[in-house]
Amino acid sequence: MAGLTREFKGTVKARAERDQAFRAALLSEAVDLLISGDVDTGKAVLRDYINATVGFEELGQEVGTPSKSLMRMLSEKGNPTASKLFAVISQLQKATGVHLAVGTAHQA
């Protein structure tokens, strides 16, 4: 199973490197999940996005937080503060050229 996971992560990374629309969709999905209350899945997708783009080392340097702390924060048991989470999302937007906007949707 570990090989399949490694292969999947490699596939995600390769696609993210060459496809800006995919990068945008991945980050958008992570944030949508977080906003909708599916925090565990949102953190998992955000981890995949970070690994596929800037990496935890570079991100940690940019947000002033050790990479291991960021990894713990976004782990299954992690509980990120809003300020740290928004700092991470803001830096990811700058670093990857993907910019999100909030909109409204009306439910019937």
Side-chain angles (χ1 to χ4, degrees), residues 67-106:
S67 60
K68 290 186 184 218
S69 293
L70 291 177
M71 286 183 231
R72 271 192 307 275
M73 176 179 94
L74 296 174
S75 72
E76 198 172 302
K77 293 183 180 183
N79 189 17
T81 63
S83 61
K84 285 287 185 193
L85 189 57
F86 287 121
V88 163
I89 292 168
S90 176
Q91 183 55 40
L92 288 172
Q93 290 182 103
K94 291 176 192 170
T96 64
V98 173
H99 299 283
L100 304 174
V102 176
T104 60
H106 299 284

Side-chain angles (χ1 to χ4, degrees), residues 36-53:
S36 72
D38 189 353
V39 177
D40 291 338
T41 307
K43 290 188 304 181
V45 174
L46 198 54
R47 282 193 312 269
D48 288 342
Y49 184 80
I50 293 165
N51 284 318
T53 56

